[in-house]
Amino acid sequence: MTTGRALSLVSISSLALCALVAGCRPADNSDLDADGGTGACASSSECDDGNECTRDVCLDGRCENTARDASCDDGIVCNGTDECVDGECVHSGDPCEAPLECDEQRDLCVGCERDDDCPAATEGDWSDCEYAEACDVAGTRERHSRRFVCTQGACVPDERIESEECTRDTDGTACAPAGCGAWSECGGFEGACDATGVQTRVCAESVCAGGACSVTERTETQECVRDTEGDSCGDPECDAFTECAYDHACDDLGTRSRTCRARVCAAGACVVGAPYADAQTCNRVTEGAQCAPDNCGAYGECDYSDDCDDDASRQRTCQSTHCQAGACVQVRTRVDVEACSRDQNGRACDDGDACTIIDRCRNGWCEGQDCASCCGGNPF
């Protein structure tokens, strides 16, 4: 609803109006875009096309200049009163009634003696209320008025532009196009094999509230699907690995294997699939390890120190084979010594003493019995 407020009057001389003639003609539209706008804008104040018969507003970042019903004034008296029709300022015709004549040079009605001889005062229609922004509740509207004063035989016009404030209720009016963002990725699945999920998007609606453009957002959801058939749905089920197998004793890189069954999606469920062989490498340190049995000769004879000796030793030579740089090679020779023994107790022996007889081995020693006669009756 539009209501009138206090009028403001602007007086314009006839000479000044002559300088504004171009303002009442249709604007040059050579720079209009395909939608009838004059280009990008941030506010309606940037969209003035200089034609008072058009409404100039900024919508969605583009200027729109559309025809409006309002009074206008081209500043020329002799063509009569002016009104906006289809975006152009049109004129009513000669305003001077007999006996007055319109002076084209001065744009005046001449031949008057007093003010009453001049044309009657005229007032144009109020223009549409103009608002700076889509949600503004207060704006202004204008109209032109013309009064004449007889001065030195000529009716001199007194041109005025009257303006008043007007209001409106914009609450709930759309102030920007509604729209929605892109749908999100499909998600919200209950398990690895679940094929049905949801996706969301945010939609915005802009409406006027309290004179300002307020944006309200809402979240929309919809069902979405995916193909999970044959997808992995968990770790495979596997038997234990076999022992690591190597090509030879000094090989430090080998392999071991096991049988596994994959977990895959089938008809929306996670199932165990067909078995397959799984192999992996393994390693060990073989450097210096013995890689073959020792190659040893036979033991020699036991070396006893005398006839009664029960304990001795014997020897043999061995070749030791070890891993070196991945190959089995002979790396050193050693001598093994082995103890050997015998029981010589009671065996005849010679203790090397002429004063003894019946020499016998006893506990590793050769012992004889004293013989007095053997040494002249006195062995000592």
Side-chain angles (χ1 to χ4, degrees):
M1 175 178 177
T2 302
T3 59
R5 298 292 177 86
L7 294 176
S8 63
L9 302 179
V10 181
S11 178
I12 304 175
S13 71
S14 61
L15 292 178
L17 286 172
C18 289
L20 298 176
V21 171
C24 290
R25 298 187 184 126
D28 179 5
N29 293 330
S30 60
D31 61 344
L32 294 180
D33 59 23
D35 298 325
T38 57
C41 61
S43 65
S44 296
S45 61
E46 302 175 20
C47 300
D48 188 3
D49 62 359
N51 183 358
E52 60 183 328
C53 289
T54 59
R55 179 181 293 104
D56 310 320
V57 295
C58 182
L59 290 177
D60 299 335
R62 304 291 297 177
C63 287
E64 289 193 4
N65 310 101
T66 57
R68 67 172 185 165
D69 294 330
S71 59
C72 56
D73 187 1
D74 63 0
I76 300 174
V77 173
C78 289
N79 61 5
T81 57
D82 309 317
E83 293 291 333
C84 290
V85 177
D86 297 332
E88 296 185 14
C89 192
V90 298
H91 323 292
S92 63
D94 189 347
C96 301
E97 298 179 359
L100 301 178
E101 294 182 358
C102 194
D103 186 338
E104 293 288 350
Q105 298 298 318
R106 294 186 295 165
D107 289 334
L108 297 174
C109 291
V110 297
C112 67
E113 295 181 356
R114 56 185 184 277
D115 291 350
D116 291 345
D117 295 334
C118 294
T122 60
E123 293 177 341
D125 295 331
W126 285 107
S127 68
D128 294 335
C129 203
E130 300 290 344
Y131 299 91
E133 302 297 338
C135 293
D136 284 350
V137 297
T140 57
R141 62 179 183 175
E142 297 177 346
R143 71 177 179 182
H144 290 271
S145 66
R146 176 183 289 168
R147 291 172 176 78
F148 294 89
V149 177
C150 186
T151 303
Q152 295 179 358
C155 293
V156 179
D158 179 16
E159 304 283 350
R160 298 185 181 188
I161 299 177
E162 300 174 348
S163 65
E164 69 175 5
E165 188 180 81
C166 45
T167 61
R168 64 179 178 178
D169 181 11
T170 62
D171 283 353
T173 303
C175 50
C180 298
W183 286 104
S184 68
E185 293 285 337
C186 196
F189 301 103
E190 294 183 358
C193 297
D194 186 11
T196 303
V198 294
Q199 57 185 166
T200 62
R201 68 177 180 180
V202 176
C203 296
E205 184 178 34
S206 302
V207 296
C208 298
C213 191
S214 176
V215 180
T216 302
E217 292 186 347
R218 71 179 187 280
T219 301
E220 293 184 347
T221 61
Q222 71 174 12
E223 188 177 89
C224 52
V225 295
R226 64 176 179 175
D227 181 12
T228 62
E229 197 71 13
D231 289 352
S232 173
C233 54
D235 294 335
E237 291 184 356
C238 295
D239 299 335
F241 276 108
T242 62
E243 291 293 329
C244 204
Y246 299 92
D247 290 341
H248 53 80
C250 293
D251 191 6
D252 57 6
L253 185 64
T255 59
R256 60 180 183 173
S257 63
R258 62 181 179 177
T259 299
C260 293
R261 294 166 182 82
R263 290 182 176 272
V264 294
C265 297
C270 189
V271 300
V272 177
Y276 64 93
D278 179 35
Q280 67 175 202
T281 59
C282 45
N283 54 61
R284 63 182 178 180
V285 176
T286 61
E287 190 71 15
Q290 186 170 348
C291 53
D294 289 345
N295 183 17
C296 297
Y299 277 105
E301 295 292 331
C302 285
D303 183 16
Y304 295 99
S305 59
D306 54 50
D307 292 339
C308 290
D309 194 2
D310 290 333
D311 297 311
S313 62
R314 59 181 182 177
Q315 297 180 348
R316 69 176 179 180
T317 301
C318 294
Q319 305 296 327
S320 180
T321 306
H322 296 267
C323 296
Q324 187 175 45
C328 189
V329 297
Q330 181 177 309
V331 294
R332 60 179 177 268
T333 301
R334 74 174 189 277
V335 175
D336 289 346
V337 178
E338 180 180 67
C340 49
S341 63
R342 62 184 177 178
D343 184 8
Q344 294 291 90
N345 284 330
R347 290 179 179 271
C349 60
D350 183 2
D351 63 1
D353 186 354
C355 294
T356 61
I357 59 173
I358 312 175
D359 296 337
R360 295 287 187 271
C361 293
R362 182 178 296 175
N363 297 327
W365 297 93
C366 188
E367 297 178 354
Q369 298 180 7
D370 293 338
C371 177
S373 62
C374 293
C375 293
N378 185 4
F380 306 103

